[in-house]
Amino acid sequence: MSKKRSKTEPAPASGLSRAQRIIFAFVALLALLGLGETVYLTAMHLAGAHITCVTAANCSEVLSSRWASIGGVPLASLGAVGYFLVFSFALLAALQYRRAFLLLAITVTGMFLGTLWLLYLQAFVLKTFCDYCLFSAALVFLLAGLLVAMPPSAERRA
Amino acid sequence: MKRLLPFLVILLVAGLAVGGGYWLYQAKSENVFAPIPGEKASANPGAQPPHFRGPGRAPVVLEEFADLQCPPCAGLAGLLKKVQAQYPEDVRIVFRHFPLAMHNHAVEAARAAEAAGAQGKFWEMTGLMFENQSAWSKESKVTEIFEGYASQLGLDLGKFRADRERQEMLARVGLDNQRGISMGVKATPTLFINNQRVPQQHINEASLKTAINNVLEGKDPFPAS
């Protein structure tokens, strides 16, 4: 009797290339950076603490604007969830779990679109930028770039 | 076990993110100034955030209106510091500027204290000013004396000088003053406990501790005897 493989079980080792492994590791690392930043912003937002900006003078103007939360939920916390998912899916994809790469791609695409919207708000509605938001935007662009640059594996090609 | 390892790593990261976030939230909310209990709608809010020591959410707030050149204010500053040290979790001390026209250096002292505050040394600067009040009060020019205190505290002197001249600093002093007027302050020092004026005869260590204990027990700070 043949044993059926569960959905979360790793696929047979068709083997990831060295480049793919490095990219997944880099994606996971970037996601951890983003997670740290967004957890910090969420905690500061909930505590009502003043956020000191590194370069931009009007950072807190952005972070305390009406766009900084949706229905009382800090936007940064949604970012934290996004980065956490990216980290998890990158780790699982590196271990060749089925669908992990697809879920990773969907999450990063969502974050990429969200980032474009936030950049638009900063540039044209608030007319000021915040360091933390730009750092997060750079991370998301890097994540998207890495996934686009990912060489297709034999399994995904099939 | 090997199959579970990635999920354990994911769980660990989730735990660290939630735990770290919670720790940060707790640490930061300590430094955020929560509204003073019993705040009246008619009262001007004063400079925001005010200078305070003690936990930002401490239930008992001792708010002093002081003039840095007034001798009794120097005495009260020491007393409040001592009292707050005895209630490190329950009492916060708020300082409000109320410079009096009769004191020729009061506004300049307030601006210098605000400039020191911009570098995180407000209490250290006012401490030095009160300690040496009898010396600088008699001088005709105090600018260099205050700069000397700034150097003593290790402040960036260039920034201190620039901040001292900023309108924002003077505006903070003015806002504190307006708050005092809106609360009926006419002289210094005037002290409030949770927005209730402390009668002059109760401005001593024993009476203040009794008043604090009363507030902590949910009673009136000065029940009619």
Side-chain angles (χ1 to χ4, degrees):
Chain A
M1 214 161 83
S2 67
K3 215 170 117 188
K4 236 183 172 180
R5 205 152 24 92
S6 82
K7 281 179 184 172
T8 54
E9 211 173 308
S14 59
L16 289 179
S17 68
R18 187 178 152 77
Q20 285 173 320
R21 283 185 191 279
I22 290 173
I23 287 177
F24 280 133
F26 206 55
V27 165
L29 196 72
L30 290 177
L32 281 182
L33 269 178
L35 181 63
E37 188 214 12
T38 46
V39 163
Y40 168 76
L41 290 179
T42 304
M44 297 293 274
H45 182 107
L46 293 175
H50 178 78
I51 294 172
T52 310
C53 307
V54 186
T55 53
N58 298 324
C59 199
S60 50
E61 213 172 279
V62 178
L63 295 168
S64 58
S65 72
R66 70 184 187 93
W67 305 99
S69 57
I70 301 171
V73 178
L75 206 58
S77 67
L78 299 183
V81 171
Y83 283 118
F84 174 70
L85 290 177
V86 169
F87 170 79
S88 306
F89 294 144
L91 181 67
L92 295 177
L95 296 169
Q96 293 179 268
Y97 276 77
R98 283 174 165 255
R99 296 186 188 169
F101 183 81
L102 177 69
L103 292 171
L104 175 63
I106 291 172
T107 310
V108 172
T109 305
M111 289 173 78
F112 184 80
L113 294 175
T115 298
L116 289 181
W117 170 242
L118 292 177
L119 284 175
Y120 164 79
L121 285 178
Q122 288 176 78
F124 300 106
V125 180
L126 298 168
K127 294 190 171 71
T128 184
F129 290 91
C130 89
D131 304 345
Y132 295 98
C133 316
L134 293 179
F135 178 71
S136 185
L139 284 182
V140 172
F141 288 158
L142 258 174
L143 288 173
L146 284 170
L147 292 190
V148 169
M150 173 88 73
S153 66
E155 200 181 48
R156 289 211 317 276
R157 269 198 305 265
Chain B
M1 182 64 194
K2 201 177 170 188
R3 196 175 289 174
L4 279 178
L5 194 63
F7 295 100
L8 288 177
V9 170
I10 289 169
L11 215 61
L12 181 73
V13 167
L16 282 175
V18 172
Y22 183 70
W23 174 82
L24 194 63
Y25 166 76
Q26 288 287 353
K28 289 293 169 184
S29 44
E30 281 290 290
N31 297 323
V32 173
F33 189 79
I36 302 175
E39 183 78 2
K40 293 175 182 73
S42 59
N44 184 298
Q48 292 295 328
H51 295 290
F52 69 99
R53 61 163 115 222
R57 296 183 194 278
V60 182
V61 183
L62 288 169
E63 185 175 20
E64 62 168 320
F65 286 84
D67 171 324
L68 291 164
Q69 205 178 344
C70 114
C73 297
L76 178 62
L79 171 63
L80 292 179
K81 192 175 175 184
K82 196 175 168 189
V83 169
Q84 201 276 325
Q86 293 172 56
Y87 297 87
E89 299 300 319
D90 296 320
V91 172
R92 51 185 152 143
I93 307 292
V94 178
F95 184 97
R96 296 290 187 186
H97 294 286
F98 201 81
L100 302 174
M102 62 191 278
H103 291 139
N104 56 342
H105 300 313
V107 173
E108 187 168 352
R111 291 179 82 147
E114 284 297 320
Q119 294 185 52
K121 298 277 186 184
F122 176 82
W123 294 100
E124 289 83 350
M125 179 58 105
T126 52
L128 274 177
M129 286 173 168
F130 280 138
E131 263 173 47
N132 302 292
Q133 193 191 59
S134 54
W136 60 261
S137 286
K138 293 174 198 147
E139 299 292 331
S140 56
K141 283 191 173 182
V142 290
T143 310
E144 283 175 15
I145 296 174
F146 293 156
E147 284 177 4
Y149 296 160
S151 301
Q152 204 178 317
L153 294 171
L155 300 184
D156 174 340
L157 212 52
K159 181 171 163 42
F160 173 79
R161 286 181 182 135
D163 284 341
R164 189 180 53 195
E165 301 309 318
R166 277 168 57 201
Q167 278 308 304
E168 259 178 81
M169 300 295 163
L170 189 60
R172 281 185 59 88
V173 177
L175 285 168
D176 278 356
N177 197 63
Q178 283 170 27
R179 175 169 173 80
I181 292 167
S182 72
M183 291 168 76
V185 175
K186 289 189 173 70
T188 59
T190 297
L191 186 64
F192 291 83
I193 180 165
N194 286 9
N195 279 303
Q196 193 169 326
R197 188 191 288 258
V198 178
Q200 206 61 35
Q201 71 271 22
H202 287 302
I203 301 186
N204 59 67
E205 189 178 345
S207 292
L208 283 179
K209 283 169 72 175
T210 306
I212 291 166
N213 291 336
N214 284 341
V215 173
L216 289 174
E217 287 167 18
K219 297 181 201 159
D220 191 90
F222 308 105
S225 51

